[in-house]
Amino acid sequence: MRALIPRIPTGRGVAAATLATAAVSLSGCGFLMGNAFDIEVGECLASVPQDGEVFNVETIDCAETHEGEVYANVTLDDGDFPGVKKIEKTVDARCSEEFESFVGIGYNDSELDFTSLYPTEESWNTWDDRQVTCIIADPEGTTGSQKGAER
């Protein structure tokens, strides 16, 4: 059974997309296709989700070249769906705050970008989805973790 729980990323310079869950399955080339709600801090993504619905993410060993790394999972406050604009503002603030503690320098001083995955009104109301996943984005690709990278 596949559950469809849309989420939308935001952040400076990274295209919007919708993210949804999917069953975990293995793929070639060292990639692991997995449930987008199961990605944890420190996991690296072969590519950062872009446009449209995404049913899974490709996690990869951080020693391999990758575009993204999860640096924080935060939970939004319960209550009625606050609207997309308010969520985007909250998500940008929370992911910016978390950025410095992971990377070691402030977001505005960094050469790295970020994107974030957060609930839509449907996932908020139907599945009580309050999770925000903050992802460091390096479209040029990088190797190794960005934890403490100070770049």
Side-chain angles (χ1 to χ4, degrees), residues 86-105:
K86 186 168 183 180
I87 284 185
E88 287 176 347
K89 185 176 179 179
T90 301
V91 167
D92 281 343
R94 297 279 304 269
C95 286
S96 292
E97 290 168 8
E98 296 288 336
F99 189 92
E100 185 169 1
S101 65
F102 191 86
V103 176
I105 61 172

Side-chain angles (χ1 to χ4, degrees), residues 33-91:
M33 299 299 287
N35 182 329
F37 285 91
D38 290 340
I39 54 178
E40 297 180 14
V41 172
E43 286 191 282
C44 292
L45 307 178
S47 61
V48 175
Q50 298 295 318
D51 296 325
E53 289 187 350
V54 177
F55 293 94
N56 51 45
V57 292
E58 294 179 46
T59 59
I60 188 170
D61 186 312
C62 292
E64 303 281 334
T65 301
H66 59 277
E67 289 183 7
E69 180 175 359
V70 177
Y71 68 94
N73 282 319
V74 296
T75 304
L76 299 174
D77 294 334
D78 279 332
D80 292 335
F81 183 72
V84 173
K85 289 193 185 287
K86 186 168 183 180
I87 284 185
E88 287 176 347
K89 185 176 179 179
T90 301
V91 167

